Amino acid sequence: MSSSRIYGPLISAHSVGDHVPLLTEVFGMRVESGARLPADATAALFATECTTEVVVLRTPGVEAGAVLCRFESELPEAAETIRDGRTRLYRDAFRVIDFYARDFETSLAHARDAGFPMIGKEASYETGDGGFREAHHLGADHVVTAFLHGPADFFTDFAEVRDRVSSEPVSISLPLSDAGPTLAWYERVFGWGVVYEYDFVDASFSELVGVDAELRVRSRTVGPSRRQTYVNIVDYGHAAQGGSLLGCSVAPRRGLLGLVVLTDELDALHARAGDGAQVVTLDLAPFGVVRACVLIPPFSAPHLVVERG
């Protein structure tokens, strides 16, 4: 198995306070630390000249969570979001953070009572592994989160936390114009392969994402294993008719910016990526004083790679 795992999403925020209540009160994370990256570290990692507020959240009991960054930049891009309502199905940028809900109705009611109701219509669809339900929440900076529900024995292989209102982040969806180069990059750099595939057509999913045409959803999920957070590389088919966001996942733009990856072999990953990324030392609890770099895959979204202490 790969010594590198996906910790969770990297979110660029107008205000970290806009995201913390959702991630803690609905999805069960805890704030582990707050830190400030000086301008030189921000420039080395994200190629933008500013200081950065960083907040690390973690799902209790597992090595997964989310990292929020507020880039304190006056550049025009700092007021822009990577996605908006018009580009919800555009390709070549991360799209949705998925969480497993053991009891779907309870989880949706919990989110609503906390002030974070789901939006639009719920999807209910069938794959070869059974029936699934899905509902989305549109949050700050156009970050979309989802509750997924399906056969309990199926999610035994896909979620580490299965006895709470919400699991850890089980996947981050990624529609791509051409999956081949990114699949090859994940394999070469991290040693990750395809751990699961699915394919379905269902009108309720089209309604969920606000598309009139019937979508055929094909997915290849990529990561170190089924039981750890993975990237859901998805193809919505020609009916989606979306454009590309290639090059838009760049700091200080706001939204679902990239991924955070934990590793035991930073130097080896750095060498295999071969893109000249700068390695910096950070004091970043709960990870401690660590070395980190940002690696850039073919679809250009930053992957913040942190070496375990």
Side-chain angles (χ1 to χ4, degrees):
M1 183 183 293
S2 171
S3 66
S4 303
R5 69 164 291 162
I6 299 168
Y7 182 79
L10 177 68
I11 297 170
S12 173
H14 171 71
S15 167
V16 297
D18 292 339
H19 295 267
V20 168
L22 172 69
L23 295 174
T24 56
E25 296 173 25
V26 175
F27 297 115
M29 297 185 191
R30 293 178 183 168
V31 175
E32 293 285 337
S33 72
R36 188 170 300 276
L37 301 185
D40 57 348
T42 301
L45 292 172
F46 297 104
T48 189
E49 295 286 345
C50 63
T51 58
T52 304
E53 179 185 5
V54 179
V55 173
V56 179
L57 299 98
R58 184 172 185 169
T59 303
V62 295
E63 200 174 33
V67 174
L68 303 173
C69 290
R70 183 173 71 90
F71 297 98
E72 298 168 341
S73 173
E74 297 181 358
L75 293 174
E77 291 88 346
E80 298 176 2
T81 56
I82 299 164
R83 289 189 180 274
D84 56 29
R86 180 182 60 88
T87 62
R88 58 186 176 274
L89 286 186
Y90 277 32
R91 303 177 300 276
D92 306 313
F94 286 112
R95 201 182 85 81
V96 180
I97 310 163
D98 297 316
F99 299 81
Y100 166 60
R102 179 187 63 174
D103 184 326
F104 193 68
E105 298 297 344
T106 295
S107 295
L108 266 58
H110 174 80
R112 183 181 62 249
D113 292 346
F116 301 98
M118 301 297 111
I119 60 167
K121 295 188 176 181
E122 171 197 323
S124 179
Y125 50 87
E126 296 279 339
T127 75
D129 294 292
F132 293 82
R133 300 171 72 183
E134 182 172 346
H136 289 180
H137 174 77
L138 176 61
D141 303 310
H142 290 277
V143 174
V144 178
T145 49
F147 270 128
L148 303 176
H149 174 78
D153 56 349
F154 173 85
F155 277 100
T156 298
D157 278 341
F158 286 90
E160 294 179 86
V161 175
R162 301 184 301 277
D163 59 351
R164 306 175 198 163
V165 170
S166 171
S167 72
E168 78 282 8
V170 294
S171 67
I172 300 94
S173 68
L174 173 62
L176 291 176
S177 299
D178 181 3
T182 295
L183 288 168
W185 187 84
Y186 279 138
E187 172 67 29
R188 174 172 58 87
V189 176
F190 296 112
W192 300 340
V194 175
V195 296
Y196 178 64
E197 298 183 59
Y198 63 85
D199 184 336
F200 70 87
V201 177
D202 193 283
S204 70
F205 186 84
S206 299
E207 292 180 9
L208 172 70
V209 297
V211 175
D212 293 332
E214 188 173 70
L215 303 180
R216 180 174 183 180
V217 181
R218 298 182 179 93
S219 170
R220 285 174 283 182
T221 65
V222 179
S225 79
R226 289 187 180 192
R227 298 196 177 196
Q228 296 180 6
T229 306
Y230 56 83
V231 176
N232 181 16
I233 296 179
V234 62
D235 179 0
Y236 296 117
H238 296 297
Q241 297 181 340
S244 173
L245 293 173
L246 186 65
C248 291
S249 297
V250 177
R253 282 196 182 96
R254 296 182 283 114
L256 183 47
L257 182 64
L259 286 187
V260 179
V261 178
L262 303 183
T263 190
D264 295 324
E265 49 169 357
L266 185 67
D267 291 333
L269 298 186
H270 188 267
R272 292 198 292 267
D275 60 5
Q278 295 188 58
V279 176
V280 301
T281 299
L282 305 174
D283 187 355
L284 192 61
F287 310 121
V289 177
V290 295
R291 297 190 308 148
C293 69
V294 168
L295 302 181
I296 305 295
F299 68 98
S300 299
H303 286 45
L304 175 62
V305 183
V306 177
E307 190 170 51
R308 294 180 179 91

Coordinates of all heavy atoms in Angstrom, one line a residue, residues 10 18 24 42 47 101 109 120 124 130 171 175 181 188 192 212 221 246 280 292 302 309:
L10 N -8.5 20.9 0.5 CA -7.8 22.1 0.8 C -8.8 23.2 0.3 O -9.0 23.3 -0.9 CB -6.5 22.2 0.1 CG -5.7 23.5 0.2 CD1 -5.2 23.7 1.6 CD2 -4.5 23.6 -0.8
D18 N -16.5 31.2 8.0 CA -17.6 30.8 7.2 C -17.7 29.3 7.0 O -18.8 28.8 6.6 CB -17.5 31.5 5.8 CG -17.7 33.0 5.8 OD1 -18.3 33.5 6.8 OD2 -17.2 33.7 4.9
T24 N -17.6 21.4 11.6 CA -17.7 20.9 12.9 C -19.1 20.4 13.3 O -19.2 19.3 13.8 CB -17.1 21.9 13.9 OG1 -17.9 23.2 13.8 CG2 -15.7 22.2 13.6
T42 N 4.2 31.2 2.0 CA 3.1 31.2 1.1 C 3.5 31.3 -0.4 O 3.0 30.6 -1.3 CB 2.2 32.4 1.4 OG1 1.7 32.3 2.7 CG2 1.0 32.5 0.4
A47 N 2.8 30.3 -4.7 CA 3.1 31.2 -5.7 C 2.3 32.5 -5.7 O 2.0 33.1 -6.7 CB 3.1 30.6 -7.1
A101 N -23.4 9.0 5.2 CA -24.4 9.1 6.3 C -25.1 7.8 6.5 O -25.7 7.2 5.7 CB -25.5 10.1 5.9
A109 N -31.6 16.0 8.7 CA -32.3 16.7 9.8 C -31.3 17.4 10.7 O -31.5 18.6 11.1 CB -33.2 15.8 10.6
G120 N -31.8 22.0 -3.3 CA -32.3 21.3 -4.4 C -33.0 20.0 -4.0 O -33.4 19.8 -2.9
S124 N -31.7 9.8 -5.9 CA -31.9 8.4 -5.5 C -31.6 7.5 -6.7 O -32.4 7.6 -7.7 CB -33.3 8.1 -4.9 OG -33.4 6.7 -4.6
G130 N -26.2 -1.6 -5.5 CA -27.4 -1.3 -4.7 C -27.9 0.1 -4.9 O -27.5 0.8 -5.8
S171 N -14.6 11.1 -0.1 CA -14.1 11.3 -1.4 C -14.3 12.8 -1.8 O -15.1 13.5 -1.2 CB -14.9 10.5 -2.5 OG -16.2 10.8 -2.6
P175 N -14.4 16.1 -11.9 CA -14.7 15.9 -13.4 C -13.5 16.4 -14.2 O -13.0 17.5 -14.0 CB -16.0 16.8 -13.6 CG -16.0 17.8 -12.5 CD -15.2 17.2 -11.4
P181 N -4.0 11.6 -18.3 CA -2.8 12.2 -17.7 C -2.8 12.3 -16.1 O -1.8 12.1 -15.5 CB -2.7 13.6 -18.3 CG -3.5 13.4 -19.6 CD -4.6 12.5 -19.3
R188 N 2.2 7.5 -10.8 CA 3.6 7.7 -10.8 C 4.1 8.4 -9.6 O 5.1 8.0 -9.0 CB 4.0 8.6 -12.1 CG 5.5 9.0 -12.1 CD 5.8 9.7 -13.4 NE 5.0 10.8 -13.7 CZ 5.2 12.1 -13.3 NH1 6.3 12.3 -12.5 NH2 4.5 13.1 -13.6
W192 N -0.9 5.6 -6.4 CA -2.3 5.3 -6.3 C -2.9 4.8 -7.6 O -2.5 5.3 -8.7 CB -3.1 6.6 -5.9 CG -2.7 7.2 -4.6 CD1 -2.0 6.6 -3.6 CD2 -2.9 8.6 -4.2 NE1 -1.9 7.5 -2.6 CE2 -2.4 8.7 -2.9 CE3 -3.6 9.6 -4.9 CZ2 -2.5 10.0 -2.3 CZ3 -3.6 10.9 -4.2 CH2 -3.1 11.0 -2.9
D212 N -31.0 19.8 -17.1 CA -32.3 19.3 -17.7 C -32.0 18.0 -18.4 O -32.8 17.1 -18.4 CB -32.8 20.3 -18.7 CG -33.3 21.6 -18.0 OD1 -33.8 21.5 -16.8 OD2 -33.3 22.7 -18.6
T221 N -12.6 5.8 -9.2 CA -12.1 6.3 -7.9 C -10.7 6.0 -7.7 O -10.3 4.8 -7.8 CB -13.0 5.9 -6.7 OG1 -12.8 4.5 -6.5 CG2 -14.4 6.2 -7.0
L246 N -9.7 24.6 -16.2 CA -8.3 24.4 -16.2 C -7.6 25.7 -15.9 O -7.8 26.7 -16.6 CB -7.8 23.8 -17.5 CG -6.4 23.3 -17.5 CD1 -6.1 22.2 -16.5 CD2 -6.0 22.9 -18.9
V280 N 9.3 23.5 2.1 CA 9.4 24.4 3.2 C 9.2 23.7 4.5 O 8.6 22.6 4.6 CB 8.4 25.6 3.1 CG1 8.7 26.3 1.8 CG2 7.0 25.1 3.2
A292 N 7.0 20.4 3.9 CA 5.8 20.3 3.0 C 6.2 21.0 1.7 O 7.1 21.8 1.6 CB 4.6 21.1 3.6
P302 N -3.7 22.6 -6.7 CA -2.5 22.3 -5.8 C -2.8 21.2 -4.9 O -3.9 21.1 -4.3 CB -2.4 23.7 -5.1 CG -3.7 24.3 -5.2 CD -4.3 23.9 -6.5
G309 N 5.4 13.9 10.9 CA 6.5 14.1 11.8 C 6.9 12.9 12.5 O 6.2 11.9 12.6

